[in-house]
Amino acid sequence: MPTIYIDDNPYEVKEGKNLLDAVLSLGEDLPYFCWHPDLGSVGACRQCAVIQFQDEEDEQGRLVMACMTPASEGTRISIQHPDASQFRENVIEWLMVNHPHDCPVCDEGGECHLQDMTVMSGHNYRDFRFKKRTHRNQDLGPFINHEMNRCIACYRCVRYYRDYAGGGDLQAFAAHDHVYFGRHEDGVLESEFSGNLVEVCPTGVFTDKTLKRHYTRKWDLQSAPSICNHCGLGCNTIAGERYGTLRRILNRYNSSVNGSFLCDRGRFGYEFVNDDARILTPVMKNVETRQFEEVSEDDAVAKIAELTRDKNSVIGIGSPRASLESNFALRTLVGSNRYSSGMSNAETELVNLSRQILNDGPAHSASLKDVEKSDAVLVLGEDLTNTAPMMALAVRQAVRNQPVEKAKQAGIPEWNDNAVRELIQDEKGPLYLATPTNTKLDDVATKTYNAAPQDLARFGFAVAQFLAEESPKVIGLDEDVKSMAKSAADALKNAKRPLVISGTSLLNKSLIQSAANVAWSLCANGKKAEIALTVPEANSMGMSFLEGQGIESAFERAASDDIKTAIILENDLTRRVDSKAWNQFLKNVENIVVIDHLENETTAAADILLPAGTFADSDGTLINNEGRAQRFFQAFEDDSAVQESWRWLQGVLDLGKDTDVSDWYSLDNVFSAMTKSVDTFKGDIVVAPDAKFRINDQKIPRSPYRYSGRTAMKANVDIHVHKPPQDPDSPLSFSMEGYSGKQPSGLTSFFWSPGWNSVQSTNKYKNEVGGELRGGDPGIRLIEPKRNASPKYFTEVPEPFSPREGEWLSIPLHHIFGSEELSAKSFGLSKRAPEPYVALNPSSAEKLGLQMESRVSVKLDGTEHTLPITLHENLPDGVIGLPVGLPDFNGIPLPNWSKISGATE
Amino acid sequence: MFSVLRSIWIVLKHTFRKRETVQYPEEKPDLSPRYRGRIVLSRDPDGGERCVGCYLCAVACPVDCISLQATEDENGRRYPEFFRINFSRCIYCGYCEDACPTYAIQLTPDFEMAEYDRNNLVYEKEDLLISGEGKYPGYHFYKVAGLAIGGKDKGEAQNEEEPVDIHSLMP
Ligand code: SF4
Ligand code: SF4
Ligand code: SF4
Ligand code: SF4
Ligand code: FES
């Protein structure tokens, strides 16, 4: 560990860092703009100047940019040196020359890195009397607001958008102080990760357009640490509320999961929480009029307790979008053999298979960080950008690892971003993509292979066969597919950290099995192979821990047994089963009890409907695809009857008296009851600090200490200021009161540090820049591989796909915007969702005599849809793609055989 | 002993001074314009609402008695959707006026605000908004800021160049 001297004090720093990184990691303050922990240094803004001395004798020193100078042994610098601080002040002064007088109307205000750095550098008076240059803005779509006047030309945005996230439509234009950051013309930013510009841009050029519609300053938000609900990866977020509505989602740094970034679905998909369709009171259907009528909470609970008195007449259908605790409460109420996971049978089987592979096999279940660190990647079947967006971003970083290694050997440190990129140019590490059609990652792939799902699985098995003799042979493979499999196998074998990715999105078992075979055969070759399997929803993996049966099985049970009552938990079943089965189910059961937060077709069928909390107004635990249990906390509490689903069920259980649930007044107790009684959880598991956790006897506040308006916000209703609500489930307080130091990891409701109001304050919460949060990253992995287990290879290689005459295999195509139920109901996101379509390849379209704008009718599972076609160059013959989750296709089981014909208008 | 006598003498002397006390309420006291009394929201010279909903007054308020919600008209001009001051909490410190970047919020020399019912001390925007500019005539925030709003395009604020033509190659 090199020792460096800052203003004559010695400090030990980590090898291979630059001075800025080292100084910040030591907890010191030094202004900067163009450097970013995930983007490295380019030395563009000249803000991080320090004086470097040759040796102890040197009194003169010279001005250097800290971000471009390695922190090598014996480096002597001064941050406080008058020349350095004068220089930094002047740099800000020059930046301010053209900066508009906008802070009061700028959404960045109060969390603006430029404001912070201006104050830090001491430039506090404007002397400039001349004219400012101005720019016109662009309309960049529903997510991002553009205000170009505020730009300081730090180039972070384009470096993030193009170099890091692989976007193509944001660019720097023009020259000198005319330089302009935007698109070539007005239009929606194409990248699925554009929302991160809001946090990357140190000024108010790019701000959150959804926040703008209900703008609130950072200091006025009551926030809670949360977990993204919109896919199986479980990215860490901060959910911020004001006046009873959710205002925005911000990234919450977790070095093992999402790091510094989120996808746009996660960031902008929150507005369903404020939707008019929220269920706010318990209602019951009048037997005669069949209309909902409001009932008291007690009556509703008592009625359900009565219906569930005879346990043998009840089934419970849980949900992969509800918390573990709520699902467990339901499972307790109905009994584990009458409890369903709320996923289709097919999905249940695949998720269980995934857990079994991760749990019993020798390959390590990869976190997003592991994905980012891997140096050879094979993707089997997943269109990651649309099924697990942040994993796609991680893969984009992974392909740089091998070339960057070369740069390191050439003596260029990784943080020297421009030099590294100059050296490696377009070189990419190995990434083999096997997907049904083209994906957004194709541009960084070494090779792509597009085929029907079972052919993709055959490809996977072929790769495994090249790596291990014991893995089954694939017979009758095309030569070119075989040679691609060979080169993929070689690349994986030669890598230090090979990774195999697959998942459930195509609902194909063989694909996942083939991925397991590849990963395990790598392990057999002595590699520390990683495997990442994506799952459909936020708590799908959690469902496999609770071991519920599939919906179809539950429906069968409802038909055969004496089932009178069904309790449906946070689940719109009409999205998952076809309408025939659903209607039959409704006929079979007399009473339908639904607990959910948004009105949908299932809640419309309810006899009793109870209001549940969303992720923002309830607490709970989710398990992500990696097997990491993570807790989300309630951001706000309002006066409505909304509460956690498990609390409703606790009320019912309490009246039933079969189970002692008297201590279920707190989430912690429900969670520990679950880990004790469900065998798949082994023993004591601590996901987050419990509700009794205190620092200096104080709770951890949800709001910054400058939270405003406390004595006025509700004064129009009642002049008396009431005590804030109490929270039995967490150590967080519903106010600014409590421990005022840095909140511990996992309980961070906002990042703030004196002098650092912007998101850059995150650095102060880390052990070191780019490293773990102090106190360790939150969450706990419940799945660890059996490293020494000898792999039991899957032996069933599927038959090759053969197109049928007159019939088409319809496979699901996922969309980051639109396929997921809740986010699709959010204002901004709904504007980006595609219209329903049928995708097929141009030659098939030609055969059917279809043109670009043709509409076709698709007969599928007894239903018929007339839809426009979309041409997908690479979709295999005999296969059509249908968008998942769009209203038209709800409940239609895919993949499936269908018939299509040109529509007669 | 001496100091006691001196005190008595000073008190006696005051008996013949001009009275500071006035016969309130028949007679109104003469208050300086910078007296810190009832708070108003003023308008800019064009008659538009001056407040831009920046939340700085609310955050400056030591008793947290100001709350508001910013919103925007169709041309991007920000204004408060609601603006509430709970005068039963206000301590008339004037920090809000200090913090306000637009001269919108001002304290006035009116202190006659007593109410029998505390609820009547909650003032909404309608109660706060006056029709004039108050103590600071002439200032118009949007003429200074770079934001384009209805009637003021980019480059039309004070000390602004015409918007850059990014297609131009001129230096
Ligand atoms: S970018 Fe920052 S400094 Fe500039 S106007 Fe916005 S808040 Fe103020
Ligand atoms: S738009 Fe923002 S990130 Fe991009 S150069 Fe300007 S200030 Fe930097
Ligand atoms: S990748 Fe998934 S979990 Fe992460 S932000 Fe996006 S939708 Fe949410
Ligand atoms: S400080 Fe002024 S402009 Fe800002 S919200 Fe208050 S009154 Fe309005
Ligand atoms: S941060 Fe070092 S030059 Fe910009």
Side-chain angles (χ1 to χ4, degrees), chain A residues 96 99-104 106-110 112-115 118 150 202-205:
Chain A
M96 281 296 173
H99 204 74
H101 216 76
D102 268 1
C103 295
C106 175
D107 287 359
E108 196 83 354
C112 174
H113 188 55
L114 178 57
Q115 282 181 335
T118 308
R150 299 172 187 153
T203 73
V205 176

Side-chain angles (χ1 to χ4, degrees), chain A residues 228 230-231 233-235 262-263 265-266 389-390:
Chain A
C228 178
H230 304 301
C231 85
L233 296 180
C235 295
L262 291 178
C263 81
R265 183 199 273 181
M390 281 300 290

Side-chain angles (χ1 to χ4, degrees), chain A residues 20 31-36 41-49 65-68:
Chain A
L20 176 61
Y32 60 85
F33 285 115
C34 62
W35 174 86
H36 183 283
S41 322
V42 287
C45 71
R46 318 315 278 171
Q47 186 59 64
C48 62
M65 293 308 125
C67 69
M68 296 300 284

Side-chain angles (χ1 to χ4, degrees), chain A residues 101-102 104 107 132 134-136 147 149 212 215 217 243 247 706 708-713 716 719 721, chain B residues 54-55 58-59 61 63-66 68-69 72 78 84 86 119 122 145-146 153-154 159 161 163-164:
Chain A
H101 216 76
D102 268 1
D107 287 359
K132 294 174 191 294
T134 61
H135 280 297
R136 296 214 177 274
E147 185 61 42
N149 277 356
K212 194 166 186 270
Y215 183 65
R217 294 248 180 249
Y243 302 136
R247 297 299 166 103
R706 266 321 313 158
S708 80
R710 226 193 1 169
T711 64
M713 50 204 291
N716 56 331
I719 189 91
V721 178
Chain B
C54 72
Y55 298 98
V59 72
C61 178
V63 292
D64 290 342
C65 74
I66 304 179
L68 67 145
Q69 174 61 51
E72 257 177 38
R78 284 232 167 147
R84 183 179 306 130
N86 178 356
N119 289 304
V122 178
D153 201 1
K154 291 281 173 199
N159 269 340
E161 305 263 15
V164 166

